[in-house]
Amino acid sequence: MKTRLGLIAGNGRFPFLIVEAARELGRPLSVVAIKEEAFPELEEDVRKDGGRIEWIALGQLGKAIEFLKSEGVTEAVMAGQVKHVQIFKDVMPDFTLLSVLAKLKARNTDALISAIAEVMQEQGVALIDSTALLAPLLAGAGVLSARAPSDAERADIEFGYGVADAIAGLDIGQTIVVKDKAVVAVEAMEGTDEVIGRAGHLAGAGSSVVKVAKPNQDMRFDVPVVGLATIRTMKGAGATALSLDAGKALIFDRDAFLAAANEAGIAVIGRAKT
């Protein structure tokens, strides 16, 4: 009998892909779904093959750990976004989460999730690489679309790397939008699509989107993700080029993603980081 895999599920399609991958590997699954984030349809998908699911409020870290332990889970993955702005809303942290928050010097993403991972490890549940089951979805290096970036787009992208890497290194965000070697918009808590849309409003068409991994990207959580929605948002904002970090960013629905990019004339490249 293969060991039971745990999944802590947030927003988006990422959790569904983990469920599918676990199913293909024959790994039984126990899911902690965050009420404020996870899609309700996740429950039906999890239970389809006898998986078990527990819904928790955002602050119930202790309940999540106890459920996973009761299920015999020793390895778990985090999948799906939990919007950082939630920390400013009416979250009621339980004692376990309060103990984590009390130790933090800053409430940025890395510090918070790293502390949660440490507590889970102490309780016998190890967080593992969230892409371990999804390696085929990782972006490759080089030109991924039918069209390569123009000289002007490539110049903007190259200019953007230094800024994007610095912002990511400060754990502020992982996406910037550049036009004519000027930074138009920087991601903070609002997310990639909102940044792209804002850049379109500010600077109009012809911008390039640079999405990077953090310098010491922990692949257990906060992995850069793009999908069809990214291309649709870029098209609406008039953005014409997208750069991702090869091996460090997930592309959901790759065939449809690239088909949409090609149809919109958007160039997509993967940066091979040394």
Side-chain angles (χ1 to χ4, degrees):
M1 179 70 175
K2 293 187 177 181
T3 57
R4 186 167 285 274
L5 178 68
L7 166 61
I8 301 173
N11 192 278
R13 291 197 56 244
F14 199 166
F16 292 89
L17 295 174
I18 294 293
V19 172
E20 183 180 337
R23 184 176 292 134
E24 290 176 357
L25 292 171
R27 292 209 50 184
L29 198 62
S30 296
V31 178
V32 173
I34 299 172
K35 293 177 184 177
E36 297 87 346
E37 298 288 353
F39 293 166
E41 298 84 1
L42 183 64
E43 179 159 359
E44 181 180 354
D45 197 25
V46 169
R47 294 191 184 280
K48 191 181 300 181
D49 294 323
R52 296 193 276 269
I53 187 167
E54 178 83 0
W55 290 88
I56 66 164
L58 191 56
Q60 295 179 311
L61 177 59
K63 183 177 180 180
I65 293 173
E66 286 306 311
F67 171 72
L68 293 174
K69 288 173 64 177
S70 72
E71 292 286 288
V73 169
T74 57
E75 291 184 334
V77 296
M78 282 187 174
Q81 185 184 40
V82 175
K83 300 180 185 69
H84 203 157
V85 293
Q86 293 283 9
I87 65 174
F88 297 113
K89 298 186 178 180
D90 296 327
V91 175
M92 296 294 292
D94 62 12
F95 179 79
T96 305
L97 184 56
L98 278 173
S99 68
V100 170
L101 295 175
K103 298 175 184 177
L104 295 179
K105 294 181 180 179
R107 294 193 181 186
N108 55 23
T109 304
D110 274 2
L112 179 58
I113 304 183
S114 293
I116 289 173
E118 185 176 331
V119 169
M120 292 181 64
Q121 179 76 54
E122 291 170 356
Q123 294 293 319
V125 181
L127 280 183
I128 63 173
D129 183 343
S130 61
T131 67
L133 305 178
L134 303 172
L137 301 186
L138 289 169
V143 178
L144 307 179
S145 55
R147 181 178 75 81
S150 67
D151 289 344
E153 289 166 339
R154 197 173 289 277
D156 276 349
I157 289 169
E158 291 291 340
F159 168 81
Y161 286 144
V163 179
D165 287 340
I167 296 300
L170 293 170
D171 198 18
I172 295 172
Q174 294 172 274
T175 304
I176 68 167
V177 183
V178 178
K179 183 177 179 180
D180 298 333
K181 294 187 179 179
V183 176
V184 179
V186 175
E187 178 187 24
M189 290 188 179
E190 71 273 42
T192 302
D193 289 350
E194 287 80 359
V195 172
I196 297 170
R198 179 158 51 90
H201 175 73
L202 291 171
S207 62
S208 294
V209 178
V210 179
K211 189 172 183 69
V212 302
K214 296 171 185 176
N216 297 304
Q217 180 73 49
D218 190 329
M219 298 299 285
R220 294 177 300 171
F221 41 77
D222 206 23
V223 178
V225 172
V226 294
L228 270 172
T230 312
I231 297 298
R232 290 173 183 148
T233 304
M234 288 181 64
K235 182 178 178 180
T240 58
L242 170 66
S243 175
L244 307 168
D245 280 354
K248 297 290 185 178
L250 289 166
I251 301 176
F252 290 169
D253 299 317
R254 178 187 293 266
D255 291 345
F257 170 89
L258 291 176
N262 292 336
E263 183 180 350
I266 293 172
V268 182
I269 63 170
R271 174 176 63 155
K273 294 187 73 175
T274 56

